[in-house]
Amino acid sequence: MSQSDGYQRFFPYDEPYDHQDDAMRRIREALVEERDVLFEGACGTGKTLASLVPALEYGRAAGKTVVITTNVHQQTRQFIEEARAINAQEPIRSVVFRGKASMCHIDVGYEECQALRDTTRDLVDKEQDIAELEAREGELLDASKEGDGEAAEARGAVMEEINDLEAGIEALREERNVCDRYYNNLTADTDEFYSWLYEDVRTPDEIYEHAHEMNLCGYELLKDGMEGVDLVICNYHHLLDPMIREQFFRWLGRDPEDIIVVFDEAHNVADAARDHASRKLTEQTLDGALDELEECEDARAEPAANVIRAFRTALVDTYEESFGFGDREAIGEDWEDVPIDNESGRDDLSVAFLQAYTGQGFETDLEQALALGEELDRRYEQAYKDGEATTRRDCPTLSAAGFIETWMESSVEPGQYPVLGVRRTETGVVGRAELYTCLPQQVTAPLFEELHSTILMSATLRPFDVTEDVLGLDDPLTMAYGEQFPEERRRTYAVETPALFASKRDDPETQETVGDTIEDVVRFTPGNTLAFFPSYAEAERYYHRFSGDSTPYLDEPGTRAEELRQEFVADDDAVLFTSLWGTLAEGVSFDDDDARSVVVVGVPYPHLDDRMEAVQRAYQNAFGEAEAGQDDEAGWRYAVEIPTVRKTRQALGRVIRSPEDFGVRVLVDERYTQSNRVELGDYSVYPSFPPEERNEHIDIAPEKLRFAMLNFFTDADAWDGTPPKP
């Protein structure tokens, strides 16, 4: 049997596309060599199967488990569908794993759940001990009836032990610090549940409901039943959070070198890793620690309070001193950054802390605070287990001391950005300290190093050298498959409207030109149009300006995107206004009649605040050395320009998802055009697109766009009736 025959038995459809077959072959070879893979494929070209099929075949042959992960909820549903199709072709043991919070039947926190598990397990152990002792007591009773005096004496000791255990069981039952569902997991026959689980690929909701009907804890059964599975579907945080990852691998019963991970939407891994590595400490936690220490009768409480109080004082003083006239009154309910970093020397908060601290040495006091915090945390857990407390209490002293220790050590850590935040609560303005991780490779490089292989797939991973640097990959296999569907069934127009710089967006003439262009796109589309903007505010602006006959829909922050999408695609002549930074710009398909055109208005640069500048500096310091000298643009290119162009490319990929599909993609901003590249210089983003994509850009004047679209859709025989007149 050839290598291709081996992995193709996992392919659930008649035949793969040629590019899929080539990708599967190359991925299979990379897995044998234990290499990582960067896999870019245009939207709708079957990347998921091209990655999963060879990974599952190799994993089964080599005794590895495959984990596929995403941070896009809609993609999880697609993974489940693909896994079910594979399972129908070649049976696989699969688990779809979701966080405890959404699967808990009794709605308790993680630490409370841990304590409940411990006490429940203790109860079951006691019951098992009683069963064994009762069997022994029966044997001794029979022996004593035959006149064995030693047996009678031993039986008395056994009876006493049974009475003690029964008293302990009664206490546990009375205190109610036992989870009945987990108790059933440990004592009932769960074979029926696992038989049902592995008959198909079950969703977390299905697992929750089935376990609920059986009065079991589905989350704990999943954890206990993951050993030896072929495939796990999960969220990014199961892999990018170091604490969760360690437990997750333990549940799998696998060492990291026996795990193959497929990251979907891998262009998002850098931001996700950055968020998971960042640490925060709020003013409320500091207050809670001081209240806790005031109640604590321990010699270590005074030095612990000394160092924590100094940090709290420094935190408040630092953000208060940052306020100018009217700043405090303008603070809203969302966190707002207060810059404190200095180009040379310590940050403002660290300086204020050292000035506020008085004592024998803050390192010594911190050691006392950490030791006391750890002891208090153990006491709280034991009190909950013993039924002395109805909830598992957190230890703010431990949280605060651990953070302060990390904060004061952060000055020697490259890529760490210290920043304060403030927000308004019911009690007034409060602050927090945050250590923001600028370099994702600090999280991802150690992970990739310990795994057998990692496959990172996305429609927008190029340029590969930047992705390798940012994530800390060492000599990965790189492969890119561009548009695989017929070129005559798509058009990409770059419209020569004025560049929508922030300073130009309020210009009435610019707004009129852009608004008229959007109306032309919508009018000359035989079906639905997606309209993406650099922000929700811009989307709302042009939503209200729109005066065409098509039905307009507006996506707003906090809106349930899937419900809006369903309403939009049910229409047949509509336009959806949304942000390129929203959830509809990637990981969501608009196949065939769902949308026939997509328009991207402007270049969606992120908000360039101090935090983003810190990321730029970190990238510049890490990757600014070029062979010919210093590359002064590395920070901007890595942190801003490439992620921005990826956003645009993701949005363009929402339409034209199959060989039979057709549609038009419109870029409304002269910075996308080839003709203005030289004139715009560094402002042009045209060179940042992959060569084969930018070669399809057709530069066009705004007033000519309607004719081009009319001709394209007429050639595609797309009009239902008489087309509109230009």
Side-chain angles (χ1 to χ4, degrees):
M1 182 174 64
S2 71
Q3 183 189 95
S4 176
D5 292 337
Y7 62 68
Q8 287 208 11
R9 78 179 191 273
F10 288 84
F11 192 81
Y13 307 115
D14 290 340
E15 283 190 24
Y17 299 126
D18 289 343
H19 68 275
Q20 273 185 312
D21 193 45
D22 183 66
M24 289 190 288
R25 175 185 57 80
R26 296 177 68 189
I27 289 173
R28 178 62 164 76
E29 292 172 356
L31 295 175
V32 173
E33 297 170 359
E34 299 186 35
R35 292 181 71 187
D36 297 319
V37 179
L38 289 176
F39 176 15
E40 179 175 296
C43 295
T45 55
K47 294 183 296 294
T48 301
L49 281 178
S51 299
L52 271 183
V53 165
L56 285 168
E57 186 275 331
Y58 176 80
R60 180 167 292 179
K64 313 293 182 186
T65 291
V66 179
V67 176
I68 186 166
T69 179
T70 183
N71 69 332
V72 179
H73 181 66
Q74 292 90 336
Q75 288 298 97
T76 301
R77 290 198 293 269
Q78 181 191 338
F79 294 162
I80 293 170
E81 291 172 7
E82 302 281 26
R84 282 174 170 167
I86 292 172
N87 185 62
Q89 172 82 9
E90 177 74 18
I92 56 174
R93 286 165 56 89
S94 302
V95 166
V96 184
F97 203 74
R98 196 162 66 185
K100 178 202 165 303
S102 62
M103 293 189 70
C104 181
H105 299 266
I106 57 175
D107 194 25
V108 296
Y110 172 76
E111 291 182 333
E112 287 180 328
C113 178
Q114 185 177 35
L116 282 173
R117 288 199 311 271
D118 290 344
T119 53
T120 304
R121 195 178 295 112
D122 186 32
L123 171 63
V124 172
D125 288 344
K126 283 181 167 61
E127 289 178 340
Q128 290 174 346
D129 289 344
I130 286 175
E132 293 173 4
L133 288 169
E134 285 177 340
R136 176 60 177 156
E137 186 267 336
E139 293 172 0
L140 292 171
L141 177 60
D142 292 340
S144 64
K145 287 179 179 178
E146 295 176 1
D148 187 337
E150 291 182 0
E153 185 177 344
R155 177 174 173 266
V158 169
M159 291 291 292
E160 185 176 338
E161 192 171 350
I162 290 174
N163 291 335
D164 290 342
L165 287 169
E166 287 177 340
I169 288 173
E170 185 178 353
L172 287 172
R173 289 289 190 189
E174 287 178 355
E175 290 153 3
R176 299 300 299 162
N177 277 1
V178 172
C179 175
D180 293 334
R181 292 180 177 275
Y182 186 58
Y183 176 85
N184 293 338
N185 284 14
L186 298 176
T187 58
D189 184 355
T190 56
D191 289 349
E192 180 186 343
F193 175 87
Y194 285 117
S195 176
W196 168 85
L197 178 67
Y198 292 120
E199 281 175 358
D200 200 350
V201 182
R202 308 296 186 181
T203 69
D205 289 337
E206 289 171 340
I207 293 166
Y208 178 92
E209 291 299 330
H210 195 72
H212 190 80
E213 291 172 3
M214 299 180 70
N215 201 26
L216 299 170
C217 175
Y219 179 77
E220 292 298 327
L221 287 173
L222 270 187
K223 283 167 47 179
D224 294 340
M226 283 203 296
E227 261 189 76
V229 297
D230 299 302
L231 175 66
V232 180
I233 300 170
C234 67
N235 191 278
Y236 275 4
H237 70 262
H238 290 103
L239 293 156
L240 295 179
D241 186 300
M243 296 292 291
I244 296 175
R245 179 170 71 240
E246 183 180 347
Q247 293 178 329
F248 184 60
F249 288 172
R250 189 164 61 247
W251 298 334
L252 287 176
R254 295 287 196 191
D255 292 326
E257 58 265 27
D258 291 322
I259 297 173
I260 300 164
V261 175
V262 181
F263 278 95
D264 182 53
E265 303 292 349
H267 59 280
N268 289 325
V269 169
D271 285 342
R274 202 179 276 124
D275 291 340
H276 278 90
S278 299
R279 297 188 60 181
K280 304 177 181 72
L281 176 66
T282 65
E283 188 176 330
Q284 293 98 319
T285 300
L286 290 164
D287 289 338
L290 292 172
D291 290 342
E292 180 179 54
L293 291 169
E294 187 175 352
E295 298 171 359
C296 181
E297 296 181 1
D298 190 294
R300 294 167 294 184
E302 184 177 345
N306 187 40
V307 70
I308 290 173
R309 186 179 297 106
F311 197 83
R312 183 198 182 283
T313 299
L315 173 68
V316 174
D317 288 350
T318 303
Y319 72 67
E320 288 286 356
E321 289 172 8
S322 74
F323 295 151
F325 179 76
D327 287 348
R328 167 180 271 277
E329 290 72 25
I331 294 170
E333 295 180 357
D334 297 326
W335 287 106
E336 301 174 24
D337 283 355
V338 176
I340 58 170
D341 195 26
N342 294 308
E343 292 186 8
S344 60
R346 285 187 175 272
D347 62 88
D348 294 344
L349 175 57
S350 296
V351 171
F353 168 66
L354 293 172
Q355 291 173 344
Y357 173 79
T358 56
Q360 299 299 312
F362 75 84
E363 295 96 341
T364 302
D365 284 357
L366 267 179
E367 288 178 8
Q368 300 273 14
L370 285 166
L372 178 56
E374 289 169 357
E375 182 175 324
L376 290 173
D377 195 58
R378 287 193 296 270
R379 289 183 197 170
Y380 299 153
E381 181 165 357
Q382 194 60 49
Y384 183 65
K385 289 179 181 179
D386 294 343
E388 298 170 6
T390 57
T391 59
R392 201 314 192 161
R393 183 177 172 183
D394 292 328
C395 181
T397 297
L398 183 59
S399 299
F403 180 89
I404 296 169
E405 181 182 51
T406 303
W407 181 277
M408 297 308 292
E409 292 174 350
S410 66
S411 59
V412 299
E413 289 288 333
Q416 295 286 329
Y417 175 63
V419 62
L420 296 192
V422 290
R423 65 184 289 259
R424 185 172 301 281
T425 68
E426 293 179 357
T427 58
V429 174
V430 296
R432 75 176 181 191
E434 178 181 357
L435 276 175
Y436 182 68
T437 298
C438 298
L439 296 176
Q441 62 174 317
Q442 294 175 341
V443 177
T444 55
L447 170 62
F448 298 155
E449 179 66 27
E450 67 178 2
L451 294 169
H452 176 86
S453 292
T454 305
I455 304 167
L456 296 114
M457 63 178 187
S458 169
T460 56
L461 279 181
R462 286 181 287 177
F464 287 135
D465 60 327
V466 173
T467 304
E468 289 178 41
D469 286 344
V470 168
L471 298 181
L473 290 160
D474 182 20
D475 189 33
L477 168 68
T478 60
M479 53 187 190
Y481 299 87
E483 299 275 7
Q484 301 296 313
F485 307 139
E487 188 172 347
E488 64 270 16
R489 300 185 70 79
R490 64 180 184 270
R491 289 291 185 275
T492 304
Y493 296 109
V495 186
E496 296 164 336
T497 56
L500 286 174
F501 298 116
S503 59
K504 296 289 187 182
R505 289 177 188 165
D506 292 329
D507 179 67
E509 187 175 339
T510 298
Q511 289 183 21
E512 183 177 0
T513 301
V514 171
D516 289 348
T517 302
I518 294 169
E519 296 211 5
D520 282 348
V521 173
V522 176
R523 184 175 171 224
F524 288 91
T525 295
N528 292 341
T529 298
L530 293 165
F532 290 100
F533 297 83
S535 67
Y536 283 108
E538 286 296 293
E540 185 175 6
R541 182 205 298 271
Y542 286 97
Y543 167 81
H544 290 300
R545 285 186 62 95
F546 182 76
S547 59
D549 294 331
S550 301
T551 306
Y553 292 85
L554 178 63
D555 180 23
E556 299 177 277
T559 302
R560 293 182 65 86
E562 180 57 23
E563 292 180 5
L564 179 64
R565 191 192 78 85
Q566 293 288 353
E567 187 178 356
F568 168 70
V569 301
D571 210 322
D572 59 3
D573 184 18
V575 53
L576 174 58
F577 294 80
T578 185
S579 168
L580 280 151
W581 297 93
T583 58
L584 292 172
E586 59 181 78
V588 184
S589 298
F590 292 86
D591 301 332
D592 301 314
D593 291 334
D594 288 353
R596 285 295 176 199
S597 66
V598 57
V599 54
V600 174
V601 179
V603 179
Y605 286 120
H607 179 53
L608 302 179
D609 54 13
D610 291 294
R611 190 181 293 243
M612 181 55 68
E613 288 183 8
V615 174
Q616 288 185 62
R617 288 196 302 272
Y619 279 146
Q620 183 64 42
N621 293 334
F623 309 119
E625 292 291 337
E627 290 183 6
Q630 184 75 11
D631 178 6
D632 293 333
E633 300 301 322
W636 169 264
R637 182 166 175 259
Y638 278 55
V640 180
E641 182 166 308
I642 289 170
T644 296
V645 171
R646 283 176 176 156
K647 280 287 180 188
T648 299
R649 294 175 64 206
Q650 282 287 329
L652 294 180
R654 295 314 93 207
V655 299
I656 315 173
R657 310 283 298 186
S658 70
E660 296 75 29
D661 206 351
F662 61 90
V664 166
R665 300 173 292 205
V666 184
L667 296 161
V668 182
D669 193 303
E670 64 179 338
R671 286 172 287 182
Y672 292 114
T673 64
Q674 181 184 20
S675 57
N676 291 339
R677 174 185 173 185
V678 175
E679 181 183 342
L680 289 168
D682 291 340
Y683 292 112
S684 172
V685 296
Y686 174 81
S688 295
F689 285 79
E692 74 278 7
E693 290 183 21
R694 62 177 180 251
N695 289 342
E696 289 195 23
H697 289 195
I698 300 171
D699 295 355
I700 194 166
E703 64 273 13
K704 294 183 179 180
L705 178 63
R706 65 181 70 177
F707 297 99
M709 291 186 62
L710 176 62
N711 291 337
F712 171 80
F713 283 119
T714 299
D715 291 343
D717 194 23
W719 299 103
D720 184 12
T722 304
K725 293 182 180 180

